[in-house]
Amino acid sequence: MPARAPLVHIHDHALPDPDFARLWRKVRALGTERLRQTYQTTFWFDLGEPSNVVEQVILELRPRVPLRRGLAGVEWWFSRMRTTDVQVDFHQDRDEKLALRGGPLVHPRFTSLLFMNSVRGGALAVTRALPCEDNPSLAPNTQDFDLAMPRPNRFVYFRGDLTHGVLDADNQIPTGKLPGTSRLRVTLVMNWWAQRPTDIPTFAESKVYRSLALAPRARATSAGRRR
């Protein structure tokens, strides 16, 4: 029986070292800004002129995602959590506000992550099986996961309708807070959409994370490079 195709595609050293170092420096400078709302602080980027360092990186990473047509833009946010206290259940990415209003279930074309650092445990786990409400962290009833360990400058992507979650500091399904502590596991999450999700603001509209913003000169330079 032939091995199945991998669910998760991994690219190490995804960005040039200076670009990754600059991004990581800017992300660390955010400190605790909106740390407790990290998953609710999302932005829309239409792949036009970048207004911040993250959007510059998205344009650099775009060729690594197998989307050539029908792409409207990218929804992005930071995942910041301690692997001794995982804050997200297994789930499928979706147009969250549309779903909560009773609309149809709409998934991104692809989900992707850029890992910013290494931590204890904290593997990304991806599967075709659906979340199960009877299990801790809504973990699916399966042992068939593709895993990606956090490594600095590691870029991964997978189909946007797949179930995924984060394992704890022991790389097990989270069942609660673990003793001790760990440093923050930080990733840049990017969902690639065929249509803009409902009510997701642009970076300029949001008025948060302003330390990520590009100076006007940097914006002009970035735009000139794409012409």
Side-chain angles (χ1 to χ4, degrees):
M1 182 176 177
R4 67 164 172 79
L7 302 179
V8 179
H9 303 269
I10 299 176
H11 298 276
D12 287 324
H13 308 292
L15 294 171
D17 289 343
D19 293 354
F20 178 76
R22 177 174 179 248
L23 173 65
W24 184 213
R25 184 172 64 251
K26 291 281 190 177
V27 173
R28 292 198 307 272
L30 293 176
T32 60
E33 182 182 355
R34 296 192 64 82
L35 181 59
R36 293 188 177 184
Q37 300 85 29
T38 189
Y39 288 103
Q40 291 76 45
T41 308
T42 70
F43 310 91
W44 176 251
F45 176 45
D46 65 3
L47 301 175
E49 180 181 346
S51 62
N52 59 75
V53 65
V54 171
E55 292 170 354
Q56 283 185 322
V57 162
I58 290 171
L59 292 176
E60 287 189 72
L61 294 172
R62 182 178 180 178
R64 296 194 178 274
V65 179
L67 286 173
R68 298 294 177 263
R69 298 179 181 176
L71 183 64
V74 174
E75 176 192 13
W76 65 269
W77 67 94
F78 294 113
S79 167
R80 295 180 288 171
M81 73 175 85
R82 304 190 187 279
T83 55
T84 49
D85 188 18
V86 173
Q87 296 292 308
V88 60
D89 291 330
F90 279 80
H91 63 283
Q92 297 171 301
D93 288 343
R94 62 183 186 175
D95 185 328
E96 192 70 22
K97 293 179 180 178
L98 179 64
L100 292 175
R101 294 172 186 175
L105 188 62
V106 181
H107 302 290
R109 295 282 300 281
F110 285 93
T111 292
S112 65
L113 298 85
L114 181 68
F115 292 109
M116 304 302 299
N117 61 340
S118 296
V119 294
R120 181 163 63 96
L124 169 73
V126 181
T127 180
R128 289 189 176 91
L130 295 177
C132 179
E133 294 184 0
D134 296 331
N135 294 334
S137 299
L138 306 184
N141 286 321
T142 184
Q143 299 296 318
D144 187 19
F145 292 99
D146 277 16
L147 302 179
M149 289 298 300
R151 297 286 184 269
N153 204 11
R154 169 174 282 181
F155 177 73
V156 304
Y157 73 87
F158 51 93
R159 212 175 65 205
D161 61 348
L162 294 176
T163 300
H164 55 284
V166 178
L167 302 185
D168 67 17
D170 299 322
N171 272 334
Q172 301 297 315
I173 301 293
T175 58
K177 190 172 182 179
L178 297 177
T181 188
S182 62
R183 63 176 176 168
L184 286 174
R185 173 190 184 272
V186 183
T187 64
L188 167 62
V189 187
M190 296 155 280
N191 280 350
W192 305 75
W193 286 90
Q195 61 189 53
R196 184 173 179 172
T198 305
D199 294 341
I200 301 298
T202 65
F203 180 76
E205 292 166 344
S206 70
K207 308 299 184 184
V208 300
Y209 294 167
R210 302 322 299 170
S211 61
L212 299 176
L214 295 175
R217 182 176 179 181
R219 293 187 194 181
T221 300
S222 178
R225 286 174 180 169
R226 296 199 314 279
R227 292 194 184 102

